[in-house]
Each structure stands twice: as structure tokens, then as C-alpha cells.
Amino acid sequence: MIPQIHLTPKRLITRAQTDTRAFPLNEENMPKGDGTPASIHKIIAFLEVEKSKRYIRTAASTYCNIYAYDYACLMGAYLPRVFWTADAIKEPNFVPVYGKTLIEMNANALYDWFKTRSAEFGWREVNTTEAQQLANQGKCVIMVAANKNRARSGHIVAVVPETDKVKSVGASGIIIQPVMSQAGAVNKRYFNSKWWDGHEAKRIYVWEH
């Protein structure tokens, strides 16, 4: 069985830092998902994706994967920020060594991981309508799409509960655009759009542990 893996921080990791993105946050009194929509809104408010330095884009990089990772961690779900290399899994050698047995996971890599590995770690694929329904119930739901050009960035977002101001888009009970939360080219606490147009087919997963 392939074990879960997180890098172990040796110091405080906060939203205000920009040199510790490979590590999970370990601030005091962080909110946790408890299976309610209210707890998700508290997590989104805490992460402050529109202001926190950890997620602010640079000239060269965006950080959708970091935000999705932090969101999933606070929800109690396993989403890899780093994961075992193919060689480590084949041998197997599950001694964590950054750059040798572990590699960082960008959105394209996470798309492939969800397709091939996520079921082993408690995820189930759902459609867009189910995604919004489950998020509204307080579940951890993640949407991801790889870039057709793997040399360019894919994208990953959290599907989150609707709010009084931001609703899903659809008709006749079929949801086309759920409510989402993201870091990326533009960081947004809540939004809906068809950002996945032009990517490989989007995939959506709910954490069921």
C-alpha cells in the first residue's frame, strides 16, 4: 500500500511566507472542516486567498495547487503537495527524500494523480451537479484540469458551498458551473466560470473518508 506523505515542517509555516510553499500550514487555531458548509466558509475566510502572500502570483508562477492543498488539508482530506516518484513506488522505497523519492505536484501532475491514484486515498469521481450538491452539504470537493500543453500550467480549484451572493449556474436541475474558490492568475474566494475551456476534460472528485 502506498502511504500518504507530507513534508514535515521544522518551523512555523504561515500564509504570510513565500519560501515554504512545499510545506503544510501549521499555524495555531486553524479552522477545520467538520462536515458543515459553515466550516468551509470559515476555512475560506482563514486562508484569505485574495490577500495571503503564500498564494499571490509572481511573474513566473501561480499557486492554485498550493491553495487547493491547504484547503484539502484543513478539510481533513489527502491531496498530495509532494508525492512518491515512479521509481520509489516501483522498488518500493517509501523513505521520504525530497528530490529523490519525492517530487512536487503541480496541477498537471495532480490531474494525472486523481485519474490513477486518488481512489486509493479516499476520493470518488463525481459530475458537476453532484459536486455542487456535495459541497453544499459540507464535503471536500476538488476540480482539476490538465493543460493540453503539458509544458504549461493546468488548474485546480475547490468546489465550495453556494453563498447568498454567489450561486451555481445551470437549469432544470443540471449544474454547469458550480461555485468555486481558487488561487491562480486571479485569486478569488468565490466565483463561477467555465475556466476549464481549452484544457483537457475537467475531472471532479469528492473526499469520502
Side-chain angles (χ1 to χ4, degrees):
M1 182 176 179
I2 301 171
Q4 295 184 14
I5 183 64
H6 300 276
L7 293 181
T8 304
K10 296 181 179 179
R11 62 184 177 100
L12 183 65
I13 308 298
T14 77
R15 294 156 292 156
Q17 298 164 350
T18 59
D19 61 342
T20 56
R21 294 188 180 99
F23 295 90
L25 296 171
N26 60 1
E27 299 179 64
E28 292 185 0
N29 301 316
M30 296 192 299
K32 302 290 185 181
D34 62 10
T36 65
S39 68
I40 292 178
H41 294 309
K42 287 179 181 178
I43 289 171
I44 293 170
F46 169 78
L47 291 175
E48 287 190 301
V49 69
E50 294 169 355
K51 297 181 180 179
S52 297
K53 291 182 180 179
R54 183 171 168 93
Y55 314 117
I56 294 175
R57 67 175 299 180
T58 67
S61 301
T62 56
Y63 299 104
C64 62
N65 57 329
I66 312 300
Y67 182 65
Y69 172 68
D70 291 345
Y71 176 82
C73 285
L74 293 179
M75 286 292 290
Y78 179 65
L79 179 68
R81 177 65 190 89
V82 295
F83 199 65
W84 307 102
T85 64
D87 287 343
I89 293 170
K90 184 178 179 180
E91 287 183 10
N93 175 15
F94 296 128
V95 177
V97 181
Y98 181 88
K100 184 176 180 181
T101 59
L102 298 177
I103 55 171
E104 294 196 37
M105 300 287 282
N106 62 20
N108 288 333
L110 287 167
Y111 179 82
D112 294 335
W113 180 87
F114 268 108
K115 285 177 63 177
T116 62
R117 298 283 183 192
S118 65
E120 303 171 46
F121 295 91
W123 296 91
R124 175 175 65 87
E125 190 166 9
V126 296
N127 63 35
T128 312
T129 300
E130 292 173 308
Q132 188 65 76
Q133 293 170 343
L134 291 164
N136 285 347
Q137 296 169 18
K139 301 288 188 180
C140 182
V141 183
I142 297 291
M143 180 189 297
V144 60
N147 199 301
K148 290 180 180 178
N149 178 357
R150 290 303 182 95
R152 302 185 66 181
S153 298
H155 196 44
I156 185 168
V157 304
V159 178
V160 300
E162 295 170 292
T163 73
D164 291 339
K165 294 182 178 180
V166 186
K167 302 292 185 181
S168 58
V169 175
S172 303
I174 304 299
I175 293 170
I176 300 170
Q177 296 170 205
V179 178
M180 293 162 280
S181 186
Q182 72 169 20
V186 180
N187 294 357
K188 300 177 181 179
R189 290 192 186 194
Y190 299 95
F191 77 103
N192 55 49
S193 73
K194 292 182 70 175
W195 60 261
W196 52 84
D197 284 351
H199 288 71
E200 288 189 28
K202 69 182 184 299
R203 304 182 82 97
I204 315 172
Y205 298 82
V206 60
W207 171 258
E208 292 202 314
H209 269 205

